[in-house]
Amino acid sequence: MAQKRVPVPSAKPAQRRAPHPPPAAVPKPIVRKPIAKDSRLTVLVAGASGVIGTELVQQLTAAGHVVQRLVRRPPKAEHEFSWAPDAKILDFRLLESVDAVVNLSGASLNRIPWTARYKEQILRSRIKATQALVEAMGMASSPPPVFLSGSAVGFYGDRPGETLTEASPRGTGFLADVCVEWEAAALLAPSRTRTVLLRTGVVLAAAGGAMQPLTLATRFGLGSTVGHGTQHWPWISLHDEAAAIAHLLTSAIEGPVNLVGPTAATSEEITRRLAADLHRPHVLRLPEAVVGVGMGEMGRELLLPSQHVVPAKLEADGFVFRHRTSDEAIDAVVGSES
């Protein structure tokens, strides 16, 4: 009986697999040395055109540091760079060549009234700018060693009778909510970056800031006690605000830092000293109801709360204030205008 033939498939040449592409080259991170106190730094500043930013740039430049500014228009100078924080557009390569980033960007709190739309702008302008910086840091092969990001004593809310340090819990209110979200965005910076949250008080300055409307009213003879006058205003001079930020660039401090003067002052003491220095009367009183009606939520959040905030971390770190009392700070404000 003939054997049945079983067909055998013809042998096919083995298909050669395409070689795996070589792994993409990973850029080596730049080795950064610890920042010494006397180092000459390159500092990238967002919000450099504001009251605090202008003073900070002047102090850093005078100390020999290189300051780079983020601007929302086409650059006009060597150390200006465009960004669009609302769209989170920022060239991450900028972050690879700087020693520190200072974030002071955000819509002004002094605009009246705080409509629902403007409150959204207050929050969004701070969050978007902070997110843009943090995301750019995350994309950098070697993120900057230091990130100083703005915040405010509004974090604590209205706290009469309490002494507030950096360890105090958050308060309530719109500004407290803004500060909590603002700080949370900053704390997403890379773990290799030392992040400091600048909880700034009422900055006593000759132009701009919270003092501007008070100074203008006082010049017209409308110096007034605001509310009951006994609420603590956590003040700081403009010089010391910028000097404290510069100090923190080469400090080891992390987390929240209260940027306020070392001596407590009430709103009555501050407005009365302002009137005395301007040689104007201080006889009127703005009851809380009038402040609420005239200024709305802005007045209720900025002028009426009592916040005895102390600069515990700054003083423990050896920072020396030029203006230790609100009287000294106001004298400097009025003297700079004369």
Side-chain angles (χ1 to χ4, degrees), residues 27-53:
K28 294 182 179 180
I30 301 170
V31 178
R32 296 186 185 268
K33 297 180 180 179
I35 298 177
K37 289 287 185 182
D38 57 351
S39 298
R40 184 172 181 266
L41 307 178
T42 299
V43 184
L44 182 66
V45 180
S49 62
V51 175
I52 297 171

Side-chain angles (χ1 to χ4, degrees), residues 3-319:
Q3 292 185 345
K4 191 175 181 179
R5 297 183 61 187
V6 178
V8 178
S10 60
K12 294 183 179 179
Q15 294 183 351
R16 301 181 63 183
R17 295 183 179 179
H20 292 290
V26 178
K28 294 182 179 180
I30 301 170
V31 178
R32 296 186 185 268
K33 297 180 180 179
I35 298 177
K37 289 287 185 182
D38 57 351
S39 298
R40 184 172 181 266
L41 307 178
T42 299
V43 184
L44 182 66
V45 180
S49 62
V51 175
I52 297 171
T54 300
E55 176 69 18
L56 176 63
V57 169
Q58 290 177 353
Q59 290 193 22
L60 291 177
T61 302
H65 303 299
V66 175
V67 179
Q68 297 180 345
R69 303 170 180 83
L70 289 176
V71 297
R72 302 176 189 233
R73 50 167 173 76
K76 297 180 180 179
E78 178 186 0
H79 294 297
E80 289 186 348
F81 301 90
S82 292
W83 74 324
D86 285 347
K88 295 194 286 188
I89 297 175
L90 173 61
D91 187 346
F92 72 90
R93 291 171 295 183
L94 287 174
L95 283 300
E96 296 179 340
S97 59
V98 300
D99 300 299
V101 176
V102 181
N103 175 25
L104 302 174
S105 190
S108 172
L109 297 179
N110 294 326
R111 174 173 161 178
I112 302 175
W114 283 2
T115 62
R117 184 174 181 179
Y118 192 66
K119 286 169 63 177
E120 175 62 26
Q121 185 176 343
I122 288 173
L123 175 62
R124 186 182 66 250
S125 63
R126 285 160 172 76
I127 301 303
K128 291 292 188 182
T130 305
Q131 289 176 338
L133 291 166
V134 166
E135 290 178 11
M137 290 181 205
M139 296 172 66
S141 61
S142 182
V146 182
F147 180 38
L148 308 185
S149 189
S151 186
V153 295
F155 174 90
Y156 301 110
D158 184 18
R159 308 283 279 277
E162 295 185 51
T163 298
L164 303 168
T165 70
E166 290 87 354
S168 299
R170 61 158 294 175
T172 58
F174 169 67
L175 288 183
D177 293 341
V178 168
C179 290
V180 167
E181 290 196 47
W182 196 5
E183 293 184 0
L187 291 174
L188 294 177
S191 59
R192 286 186 289 168
T193 299
R194 177 174 62 89
T195 300
V196 181
L197 308 170
L198 307 172
R199 290 182 182 167
T200 296
V202 178
V203 179
L204 304 183
M211 285 297 291
Q212 188 168 15
L214 294 176
T215 302
L216 182 61
T218 303
R219 286 189 184 281
F220 282 99
L222 300 176
S224 308
T225 298
V226 180
H228 47 72
T230 59
Q231 68 268 36
H232 282 99
W233 277 0
W235 64 274
I236 187 170
S237 73
L238 178 59
H239 174 275
D240 285 341
E241 168 78 8
I245 294 173
H247 171 88
L248 290 167
L249 289 172
T250 56
S251 169
I253 293 178
E254 294 186 74
V257 178
N258 292 335
L259 299 192
V260 295
T263 306
T266 65
S267 67
E268 170 80 7
E269 292 168 339
I270 290 175
T271 56
R272 190 169 291 279
R273 181 67 173 210
L274 179 61
D277 280 5
L278 292 173
H279 307 291
R280 296 292 190 274
H282 186 278
V283 295
L284 303 177
R285 179 178 293 275
L286 293 176
E288 293 186 12
V290 173
V291 173
V293 171
M295 297 184 178
E297 192 169 3
M298 179 267 200
R300 293 191 296 271
E301 288 268 350
L302 294 182
L303 300 180
L304 297 180
S306 184
Q307 300 173 314
H308 180 196
V309 183
V310 295
K313 284 189 175 180
L314 268 182
E315 290 200 297
D317 202 48
F319 177 73

